[in-house]
Amino acid sequence: TVYTGTNLTPTIWQSSYDGTSWSTPQYVRYGVEGMGVASHGGQLVLVTRDRNNDLYMGTSTGNGWTTPTKIAGQKSKSSPALASFGGVLHMTHLGDSSNSIWWSTWDGTSWSNNVTIPNQRSRYVPALAPAGSKLVQAHIGDTTLALWYSTLQ
């Protein structure tokens, strides 16, 4: 489990469940405004957003976290959504200053170009999940509370 702290200074903590009990929380990173986490390629991938809307990525194989590195050319006014699907890690997020939904993939080495998904806008953070042979994205509408979804096959 990766979660944000409850004090006034945003922090991220991690704990794990061994089938019986939860471990003592371990500090991951300081100064974040939002995050997304997913399992991909045998490791946990954490993408965080700072106060300037820049996105940063760190990974863990269970023995601590790498130093977060800035993801070039990607900014978001909300937390990102992450999901492993088709051998790559997918990320969607809102724009830096718009409700457009942006999408990119990570192949384990580098991120693809960040592109908008046509005709998809949301006022809140999108969600991603693999479902059989499809990747499903769900989000709240841009101007209503209607729930929308789309798939990548």
Side-chain angles (χ1 to χ4, degrees), residues 101-123:
I101 299 177
W102 293 76
W103 169 62
S104 62
T105 59
W106 185 61
D107 63 9
T109 303
S110 61
W111 286 94
S112 67
N113 290 333
N114 199 27
V115 297
T116 57
I117 301 175
N119 304 315
Q120 294 197 31
R121 297 173 56 85
S122 178
R123 68 167 83 180

Side-chain angles (χ1 to χ4, degrees), residues 39-41 83-90 103 105-108 129-136 152-153:
S39 177
H40 177 72
S84 184
F85 178 75
V88 296
L89 183 70
H90 296 258
W103 169 62
T105 59
W106 185 61
D107 63 9
S133 63
K134 300 176 183 179
L135 179 65
V136 178
L152 177 67
Q153 300 180 29

Side-chain angles (χ1 to χ4, degrees), residues 2 4 12 35 37 39 41 58 63 70 74 80 104-105 111 128 135 146:
V2 178
T4 57
I12 293 180
M35 67 170 178
V37 64
S39 177
N63 297 319
K70 187 175 179 180
Q74 300 209 30
S104 62
T105 59
W111 286 94
L128 283 176
L135 179 65

